[in-house]
Amino acid sequence: MAADKDQPTSTTTGQDIPYSSPASDAHSPNGARGMLRFLGLVLLGAVIGGLAALAAVGFVSAVIWLNDLLLISPRGRMMFAHPEALALATVAVPALGGLVVGQLHRAIRERRPHTPADLIAAVQTRRGRLPPRAGLLSALSGLVSLGSGASVGQYGPLVHMGASLGSLAARLLRMGRSDDNVTIACGVAAAIATAFHAPLAGIVFAHEVVLRHYALRAFAPVAAAAIVGHVIATNVLSQGALFHVTDTAVPRPWEFAAFIVIGGLGALVAGGYMHAILAVGRWAAKLPVVPSLRPAIAGAALGLVALWVPDILGMGQETLRFATIQGAFSSLDLVIVLVLKLAATAMCIGMGFGGGVFSPALVIGTLFGALCGTLVTQLGMAGETFVFYAVCGMVAVTAPVIGAPLTTLLIVFELTGSYVLTTAALASVTLASPIAAQLFGRSLFDIQLARRGLDLSAGRGRALLQNARLKSLVSQECVILNPNDSVQEAVTRLGEGGHGEAYLVDDRQRYRGSVTLADLEVMRGKGHGHHRVRSCQRTPRPVLSPEASVWDAMHHVQDVTGEAIAVVDDKAGDAFLGVVYESSIARAYLKHSEDLRREEHGTG
């Protein structure tokens, strides 16, 4: 498969481009090659989907086996007949698991597991492929964390693992960045489709959260990956769905208003959940403890609390199932488990365990919805529709956390097959996602990336320009003057060079400001042609670092009336490196915009 070089498009006149009708294009050699390339990408998507599905099923099976073996799962704990040993294992297993996880993270460059936020950043900035070593170690970290009972989710590791497989395929086939983004999305879609038995949700999640566009060129490969993953999970390996929810009644009209209220309150719960994770992370960074030991401390604390409330261990899949059953938990039990599950997840993720935030959000949201349903039932206003409240709470919390309201709704629909239940969930999401986006941000992933310096709130185009550095745009084609040069000499050199401004650089190559031809002419007109340039009046002008982004340069251009902006390395003592012309900044903006347009419209 040919590589996409992602080169800027050349500028030609209308006479340089011969007209050809769509019919002739379809039968041209370029059209045939394009079709074969597209079909090859679809086939590759199917292959990636199969590999990601097998990896996802193996990962989930390994977690279940470890939970039973290490006495984390309710089934394993019930079948164990030694209470003293069980209590010891409850504390020791998460602590030892955290110790192993901390050592794994030492082998990752960032000293932390990679998460969906990392793959979103790679796709949105088109900066490069996912490192396979970090992907493998992050998957192992997630496996050990989940297997030892940490209160984290499995979908984050599954999504990143699928994305890493897709990126590895693009690397092996030497594909371009645009195709790389598509193969990453294929792995993501297959992982979601396999884990939830929801191929439609997998397709939408890949477009909604990862690609953030719906190009037809990406849709077919992503769909192929999701379908193959779903078929393998359901038919070939007979892997059952992670949870089932069925409805037995139809809500009354006034209950939809209650579902909307649950959505608004759920947005606040989601915000508290996200900021608890971030707050624990900041607090953990200040602890006088080696980072590799933090997960072990969190694991020991988790185990101690789990001696009284074992429901907070692991993903909480059984807790989620019981929360959808009316009467399984009392109101007090729901409050206790909800608060402790939220705190345990924030502690585990903030202290460095590997794992996702999706599964705990499902549990926390379901507990919150069940609490609302229990309160309404106690008022004698509901009963048969209890499951609707649980599901509405689930989507109201989960959708803001992952930034994917459509995906969350499709998961509900594909798992239950209930249009009525999905409509009720839609009522909650309608209010939950906008409120959370206004108060907290689009998702936890976007908040994490914003704190790393990548702001996706204004769209993909801005993110790409923020990631594009000025190094490649720096030019040495400018008039450089010594501050000790005379005004007459400066005017002459500017005239010979055809420029309207010059840059003052001393003998040590340090930048000392800029002067314009107009200011120099004013001094010469006053009879000061023999004066030194350093005595010329200078208008304050901005300077840029070589690490500054094209986006920053565009903002400075708005406030500059000159032809270029000086580029200065302040880390090297204000060393003058050259200038960036306004025309170069404009061309860079147009190039990146064209690259995005070609990719999102299926031609690049």
Side-chain angles (χ1 to χ4, degrees):
M1 190 173 294
D4 179 2
K5 300 299 184 183
D6 284 327
Q7 296 295 334
T9 55
S10 59
T11 303
T12 57
T13 63
Q15 287 128 359
D16 295 328
I17 306 175
Y19 172 78
S20 59
S21 67
S24 63
D25 284 344
H27 297 287
S28 67
N30 288 336
R33 283 196 297 269
M35 179 59 68
L36 289 175
R37 188 165 179 263
F38 173 73
L39 293 176
L41 188 59
V42 174
L43 178 61
L44 178 61
V47 173
I48 292 171
L51 295 174
L54 292 173
V57 172
F59 186 94
V60 172
S61 300
V63 169
I64 294 173
W65 176 75
L66 284 173
N67 284 170
D68 289 340
L69 178 68
L70 300 176
L71 305 178
I72 298 300
S73 66
R75 181 177 61 180
R77 297 174 68 85
M78 288 173 58
M79 296 177 61
F80 194 73
H82 304 284
E84 296 80 6
L86 179 61
L88 178 62
T90 301
V91 178
V93 169
L96 293 175
L99 192 62
V100 174
V101 165
Q103 300 309 307
L104 287 173
H105 293 172
R106 294 181 63 186
I108 302 176
R109 183 167 63 90
E110 295 84 356
R111 296 295 190 270
R112 61 168 177 80
H114 284 201
T115 67
D118 294 281
L119 70 93
I120 291 171
V123 170
Q124 292 304 306
T125 60
R126 305 178 85 236
R127 68 187 179 194
R129 299 188 170 107
L130 301 177
R133 174 185 172 86
L136 176 61
L137 291 172
S138 297
L140 288 175
S141 171
L143 178 61
V144 174
S145 298
L146 288 159
S148 60
S151 181
V152 295
Q154 67 177 358
Y155 303 115
L158 289 179
V159 164
H160 192 274
M161 185 167 56
S164 296
L165 288 172
S167 183
L168 179 61
R171 184 191 302 272
L172 294 176
L173 295 175
R174 299 183 179 180
M175 301 169 72
R177 295 284 175 82
S178 297
D179 289 338
D180 186 16
N181 289 351
V182 174
T183 57
I184 287 174
C186 288
V188 169
I192 293 294
T194 303
F196 284 105
H197 285 211
L200 293 179
I203 295 169
V204 172
F205 183 85
H207 286 84
E208 187 178 21
V209 176
V210 180
L211 293 177
R212 305 199 180 189
H213 64 75
Y214 288 87
L216 291 177
R217 177 171 172 271
F219 179 81
V222 170
I227 292 170
V228 171
H230 176 66
V231 169
I232 289 178
T234 56
N235 297 322
V236 178
L237 299 177
S238 300
Q239 180 72 24
L242 292 178
F243 63 90
H244 300 274
V245 178
T246 58
D247 60 292
T248 58
V250 176
R252 284 162 285 186
W254 67 265
E255 288 186 283
F256 283 90
F259 300 152
I260 293 176
V261 173
I262 289 175
L265 297 175
L268 301 180
V269 175
Y273 172 60
M274 292 187 287
H275 281 278
I277 293 174
L278 298 172
V280 173
R282 293 192 299 268
W283 173 75
K286 299 176 182 178
L287 288 177
V289 179
V290 179
S292 59
L293 296 180
R294 292 172 190 163
I297 296 173
L302 174 71
L304 289 173
V305 178
L307 291 174
W308 288 272
V309 187
D311 296 293
I312 65 174
L313 289 173
M315 292 180 293
Q317 185 174 322
E318 294 297 324
T319 303
L320 187 151
R321 287 197 181 106
F322 280 110
T324 60
I325 302 173
Q326 186 177 359
F329 290 104
S330 68
S331 299
L332 181 60
D333 290 338
L334 288 170
V335 171
I336 292 174
V337 177
L338 189 158
V339 172
L340 290 180
K341 184 65 178 177
L342 191 153
T345 304
M347 179 179 64
C348 288
I349 294 178
M351 292 284 281
F353 268 108
V357 297
F358 196 173
S359 301
L362 290 172
V363 177
I364 292 168
T366 305
L367 291 168
F368 168 71
L371 176 61
C372 295
T374 300
L375 295 177
V376 172
T377 301
Q378 290 174 351
L379 294 175
M381 303 173 65
E384 296 179 349
T385 56
F386 176 83
V387 68
F388 284 82
Y389 291 87
V391 172
C392 286
M394 180 184 75
V395 299
V397 174
T398 304
V401 170
I402 65 173
L406 291 178
T407 299
T408 310
L409 291 173
L410 284 173
I411 287 174
V412 172
F413 182 72
E414 292 188 89
L415 284 179
T416 65
S418 171
Y419 184 77
V420 177
L421 191 58
T422 305
T423 305
L426 175 61
S428 292
V429 169
T430 299
L431 200 58
S433 293
I435 288 179
Q438 290 296 322
L439 295 179
F440 309 110
R442 170 171 172 163
S443 69
L444 178 60
F445 308 136
D446 283 20
I447 296 173
Q448 289 172 330
L449 291 176
R451 297 194 173 194
R452 298 177 196 171
L454 177 60
D455 185 5
L456 297 177
S457 62
R460 191 179 183 211
R462 173 176 168 178
L464 188 63
L465 292 174
Q466 285 178 325
N467 197 64
R469 301 303 169 199
L470 290 179
K471 292 179 181 179
S472 60
L473 304 182
V474 177
S475 172
Q476 295 289 339
E477 296 182 3
C478 58
V479 176
I480 300 176
L481 300 175
N482 190 290
N484 294 321
D485 291 341
S486 68
V487 171
Q488 180 61 48
E489 182 182 358
V491 171
T492 302
R493 291 183 58 186
L494 280 172
E496 293 174 348
H499 290 281
E501 57 189 8
Y503 304 89
L504 307 183
V505 180
D506 63 17
D507 296 332
R508 299 173 61 183
Q509 298 302 308
R510 294 178 300 182
Y511 177 68
R512 288 294 177 259
S514 62
V515 293
T516 65
L517 179 60
D519 291 335
L520 293 171
E521 287 285 11
V522 169
M523 287 193 66
R524 189 173 66 166
K526 293 180 179 179
H528 298 159
H530 61 284
H531 285 198
R532 303 300 178 189
V533 175
R534 64 170 179 265
S535 64
C536 179
Q537 180 179 1
R538 282 168 274 171
T539 303
R541 299 286 298 276
V543 296
L544 292 170
S545 163
E547 296 300 324
S549 66
V550 174
W551 179 263
D552 294 332
M554 289 174 59
H555 277 275
H556 282 298
V557 165
Q558 299 177 15
D559 303 324
V560 174
T561 57
E563 59 188 23
I565 301 177
V567 179
V568 176
D569 188 357
D570 54 0
K571 296 180 180 179
D574 293 335
F576 180 74
L577 302 180
V579 297
V580 174
Y581 286 94
E582 292 184 13
S583 58
S584 298
I585 297 171
R587 281 195 298 269
Y589 168 76
L590 292 175
K591 175 191 176 300
H592 289 301
S593 298
E594 177 65 13
D595 287 344
L596 284 183
R597 188 197 67 80
R598 290 174 61 240
E599 179 177 315
E600 294 180 6
H601 289 273
T603 60

